[in-house]
Amino acid sequence: MERRKTAKARENESLLMENGDASRVTTTGSNLQGDKQNIALLFFLYTLQGIPLGLSAAIPMILQNRGVSYKQQAEFSFVNWPFSLKLLWAPIVDSMFSSRIGRRKTWLIPTQYLIGGFMLFLSHHVDAWLGDKETTPNIGILTLLFFALNFLAATQDIAVDGWALTMLKKCNVGHASTCNSVGQTAGFFLSYVLFMALESPSFSNTYLRTVPKDEGIVTLSGFLVFWGWVFIVITTIVAVFKKETQSVHSAHVEGEVDRDIKTAYLFLIQILKLKPVQLLVVILLTSKMGFSATDSVMTLKLVESGIPKERLGLMAVPLIPLQIALPLIISKYTTGPRPMDIFIKFIPYRLLFGFVAAFLVWITPILAPNATESIPLIYYALLLICYVLHQICVYSMFVSIMAFFAKISDPIVGGTYMTLLNTLTNLGGNWPAAVALFFVDPLTRKECIGGTEGYDNLCRDTIEQELCVSKGGKCVIQIDGYYIETLICAVVGFVWLAWAKSRIKRIQSFTDDDWKISKRSR
């Protein structure tokens, strides 16, 4: 979540450079007169964008309590891919539009109506597809629909990003990235942290009710109905009352309308032909292999161990000040000619943190045996320390690589350049996460204990697990695949570091001209 937010600030700055006005924007003071309503609108549109993202993060936590396998979690993880692939259709959204409706409203209005409609449709069926004690979750249909929901949200993101650069006055365009950062974070918080807390019966009964009930204050279907109608109402208001015109506010991106689909894709091809970019692509697509077990499996393992999902969600609250301060602190060390040095330095710490995370998962049943009822303060302290350490490593590496992207991006095609690099960065995290989730179950060894004497059952699938229970036994984990993955990832990570260290130093030695596309292609 935080990764996309910061990346978008860099993308918006590069879009300004691409249109030749970066220096003027940075030197002209902000004047909000006449733009306050536009800023409020952008903030609200980005908040709406964060709602599907937060829901996509909350669903795996709900599924983990309903007996899904890690292979099924790996399948559902593909719902996060649209935001990493939006570069593939962004030129279409930028180039095809109706002049009568408006360049951005052509896509924004139908997309947000579809998101609202999707949410209303999901509200009628999501409880059945999530399953209960008698039925199993329908992972296939959930993955398909939430993938479509995020595809629409990513398309809305493209339209809003472009509109932000023309809606605001030239001196206020810098506020676009702030609207994105704060708005998307607010939407994610509402649909992930707040939703999981209000959806939890235990949290609602403990802190918000005097008479206990079996359900939380909010249900997923009710949440989807509320936000579905919010999308529809807000979209109608924007369609009717907000006009999109080429005025003095959009003068600073004059010439943008001349971009066509062919030119946009040619820029991408020209960038990818650069030798330094090709080496960077390999690094970006493989750099997160060593962290995949920790990043994608650890939280689900804590939920499996009995830690309530809403408690884990609320851990994000005390981390907010840290997430705000870290980029400001780290940026002081990434402004020089070699910003990727910080990236290299923190890789060993992040790899070693994988063992710290695995230890926390292992010790959870010991320190918090009755986590659904109460969690000891010492365990909360350990959990918070782990989260803080992880955030320091993640943000140090991310800020350094974003600083490097800003340094090397060709200003002539800055927005396209940055979006391409950010897309590759996100893909480099998505595919290892899916692989890590997929292999947890195959690497795990279980055995049926307590059943019929002499009965051989390794609980390899749902059928064997049900058979074990029917004979009075219980499937017990003998070897947890998560711990094996943690070791494998650490080994792979250190081998990768040995390979990549010299290559990262090499890409920092290229001159600015080495990263620019040829003049003939511009």
Side-chain angles (χ1 to χ4, degrees):
M1 168 56 200
E2 295 298 325
R3 180 171 60 246
R4 281 203 69 259
K5 177 184 69 176
T6 309
K8 184 53 57 62
R10 299 287 189 183
E11 286 182 36
N12 286 345
E13 291 171 5
S14 294
L15 282 168
L16 293 174
M17 290 192 296
E18 186 172 336
N19 290 285
D21 288 293
S23 60
R24 295 180 67 182
V25 170
T26 56
T27 59
T28 304
S30 174
N31 179 9
L32 299 182
Q33 186 68 31
D35 261 350
K36 291 182 180 180
Q37 291 183 349
N38 291 330
I39 290 175
L41 175 60
L42 285 174
F43 169 77
F44 205 83
L45 291 175
Y46 281 122
T47 299
L48 292 179
Q49 186 186 119
I51 300 299
L53 293 173
L55 284 173
S56 298
I59 295 299
M61 308 288 275
I62 296 174
L63 291 173
Q64 194 66 13
N65 286 329
R66 306 199 179 191
V68 302
S69 66
Y70 283 93
K71 287 184 180 179
Q72 291 173 310
Q73 291 280 16
E75 181 181 342
F76 187 80
S77 70
F78 282 97
V79 305
N80 299 313
W81 284 55
F83 273 92
S84 298
L85 299 173
K86 67 175 184 174
L87 181 65
L88 297 178
W89 67 92
I92 299 175
V93 176
D94 283 334
S95 304
M96 298 180 64
F97 59 93
S98 167
S99 299
R100 185 174 63 86
I101 299 174
R103 183 183 181 88
R104 306 303 174 183
K105 287 174 67 176
T106 296
W107 292 92
L108 180 71
I109 302 304
T111 296
Q112 291 199 164
Y113 273 134
L114 284 172
I115 292 175
F118 253 89
M119 288 185 169
L120 293 177
F121 173 76
L122 276 170
S123 68
H124 293 292
H125 306 281
V126 71
D127 290 333
W129 290 331
L130 282 172
D132 52 32
K133 294 181 180 179
E134 298 180 356
T135 60
T136 57
N138 191 330
I139 301 299
I141 191 68
L142 286 172
T143 302
L144 177 63
L145 290 178
F146 274 92
F147 183 94
L149 190 64
N150 278 346
F151 174 83
L152 292 171
T155 305
Q156 188 255 25
D157 181 39
I158 298 168
V160 176
D161 287 346
W163 200 4
L165 298 178
T166 60
M167 184 187 299
L168 301 177
K169 291 187 293 187
K170 180 170 57 179
C171 60
N172 293 329
V173 171
H175 292 290
S177 60
T178 304
C179 291
N180 179 283
S181 301
V182 180
Q184 196 181 93
T185 300
F188 188 89
F189 181 88
L190 290 172
S191 58
Y192 178 66
V193 179
L194 186 62
F195 165 70
M196 286 200 299
L198 297 181
E199 187 266 347
S200 167
S202 61
F203 183 88
S204 298
N205 293 334
T206 302
Y207 300 105
L208 304 175
R209 285 193 181 123
T210 55
V211 179
K213 293 183 180 180
D214 294 333
E215 288 186 342
I217 291 178
V218 172
T219 63
L220 180 56
S221 58
F223 190 84
L224 286 166
V225 168
F226 173 79
W227 283 106
W229 282 112
V230 169
F231 267 92
I232 291 173
V233 171
I234 295 300
T235 304
T236 302
I237 293 173
V238 172
V240 174
F241 296 104
K242 181 60 180 177
K243 304 298 182 183
E244 182 182 356
T245 58
Q246 285 293 109
S247 63
V248 66
H249 284 219
S250 59
H252 58 286
V253 289
E254 184 178 357
E256 181 194 27
V257 294
D258 297 330
R259 290 281 175 89
D260 57 21
I261 298 176
K262 180 180 178 181
T263 302
Y265 285 112
L266 282 175
F267 279 153
L268 290 177
I269 294 172
Q270 291 297 328
I271 294 170
L272 288 171
K273 284 182 177 180
L274 297 173
K275 294 296 182 181
V277 171
Q278 292 174 1
L279 178 57
L280 181 59
V281 166
V282 176
I283 291 172
L284 294 177
L285 290 178
T286 57
S287 62
K288 297 178 183 177
M289 294 187 297
F291 322 128
S292 57
T294 300
D295 292 351
S296 60
V297 184
M298 173 195 171
T299 301
L300 296 178
K301 277 294 177 181
L302 292 175
V303 174
E304 184 182 305
S305 299
I307 304 299
K309 62 184 184 300
E310 67 275 7
R311 302 284 180 89
L312 293 174
L314 289 171
M315 290 297 297
V317 176
L319 293 177
I320 292 175
L322 180 68
Q323 292 169 343
I324 295 173
L326 274 176
L328 300 176
I329 297 172
I330 298 166
S331 62
K332 297 179 181 179
Y333 303 95
T334 58
T335 54
R338 304 180 65 86
M340 290 282 280
D341 287 351
I342 297 293
F343 182 89
I344 297 173
K345 288 180 180 178
F346 273 87
I347 288 178
Y349 296 109
R350 193 170 172 185
L351 290 172
L352 292 175
F353 175 79
F355 295 107
V356 177
F359 175 76
L360 180 67
V361 171
W362 177 78
I363 205 172
T364 294
I366 300 173
L367 290 183
N370 301 311
T372 54
E373 298 177 4
S374 63
I375 299 178
L377 185 59
I378 186 174
Y379 181 80
Y380 262 131
L382 286 175
L383 189 61
L384 183 60
I385 291 172
C386 283
Y387 272 56
V388 168
L389 291 175
H390 186 250
Q391 289 295 307
I392 291 174
C393 292
V394 169
Y395 270 74
S396 296
M397 293 178 63
F398 178 69
V399 172
S400 66
I401 204 167
M402 285 298 106
F404 183 67
F405 290 171
K407 177 179 179 292
I408 65 174
S409 292
D410 189 342
I412 298 299
V413 286
T416 303
Y417 216 121
M418 283 291 294
T419 304
L420 172 63
L421 296 178
N422 286 318
T423 295
L424 294 169
T425 302
N426 289 334
L427 283 175
N430 284 341
W431 77 261
V435 171
L437 287 167
F438 181 86
F439 279 103
V440 172
D441 286 333
L443 293 174
T444 298
R445 178 179 174 82
K446 298 180 181 179
E447 188 175 350
C448 183
I449 304 296
T452 304
E453 187 175 353
Y455 175 66
D456 183 20
N457 187 338
L458 297 179
C459 300
R460 285 164 292 198
D461 52 35
T462 304
I463 296 176
E464 288 192 357
Q465 292 171 14
E466 292 176 352
L467 190 59
C468 173
V469 174
S470 68
K471 292 184 176 294
K474 180 181 179 181
C475 288
V476 177
I477 295 178
Q478 304 295 323
I479 301 176
D480 195 326
Y482 166 63
Y483 301 119
I484 297 177
E485 276 195 358
T486 299
L487 179 60
I488 292 174
C489 285
V491 173
V492 170
F494 279 109
V495 170
W496 182 90
L497 179 60
W499 169 85
K501 194 171 183 178
S502 60
R503 289 164 176 82
I504 291 175
K505 292 181 178 179
R506 180 185 170 194
I507 64 173
Q508 292 191 106
S509 66
F510 287 116
T511 65
D512 291 343
D513 289 338
D514 292 329
W515 296 98
K516 293 180 180 179
I517 60 177
S518 65
K519 292 184 179 180
R520 287 181 301 172
S521 66
R522 294 178 184 175

